[in-house]
Amino acid sequence: LSSSNTTRWTVPASVNVPAGQSSANFTITNIPTLANASSVISATTGAVTRTVFVAVNAPFLTNATLGQSTLKGGLSTTLSLTINAPAPSGYTIALVAGAASLVQLPSSFAIPQGATSVNVPVNTSAVTSSIAVTVVAYRGPYVKVMTITLTP
């Protein structure tokens, strides 16, 4: 057995087919990835080789929700980020506030390896009149846009 992309998929070196059987099962182990990846898995016996193409998509942002959509300026809330599969090491979501002086959040936030969600602290500044601020969370083509309204 072999994998054309051993950094993403591992297979056992060989598999024994029991006597009287024509097939055997084996495990293909996928290593989580930050980017979409593919591989060709091949099995050879004698002069016969069989191949299968496998692909995996990197986790993507499925939801981003502010703890409060309206908040008194100067108070804090959270931004919950959710992805569709366990995060690989180094997986981050980019964050932007339309008025960074009023809504403070990190420019990116890491989702811990193996986790599918995380809460990000969001701090705000006091305001003298109500104002709506756009908050965006994104990774690649997956974008979530939210609005938080700050009140005096």
Side-chain angles (χ1 to χ4, degrees), residues 23 36-37 42 57 65 70 75 78 94-95 97 99-100 118 131 138 142 144:
S23 65
N36 297 348
S42 300
N57 294 328
T65 307
T70 301
L75 298 180
T78 58
L95 305 171
V118 67
I131 185 168
Y138 67 95
Y142 300 96
K144 301 294 180 183

Side-chain angles (χ1 to χ4, degrees), residues 45-132:
T45 183
V48 177
T49 299
R50 296 288 185 245
T51 60
V52 64
F53 178 81
V54 292
V56 68
N57 294 328
F60 58 87
L61 182 63
T62 57
N63 199 21
T65 307
L66 286 162
Q68 294 172 273
S69 59
T70 301
L71 182 68
K72 181 178 178 183
L75 298 180
S76 298
T77 188
T78 58
L79 170 60
S80 297
L81 302 171
T82 305
I83 59 176
N84 70 319
S89 176
Y91 191 88
T92 59
I93 302 291
L95 305 171
V96 178
S101 62
L102 297 178
V103 176
Q104 300 90 40
L105 61 157
S107 59
S108 67
F109 204 83
I111 295 182
Q113 184 174 357
T116 56
S117 64
V118 67
N119 288 324
V120 181
V122 178
N123 298 313
T124 69
S125 298
V127 295
T128 56
S129 61
S130 292
I131 185 168

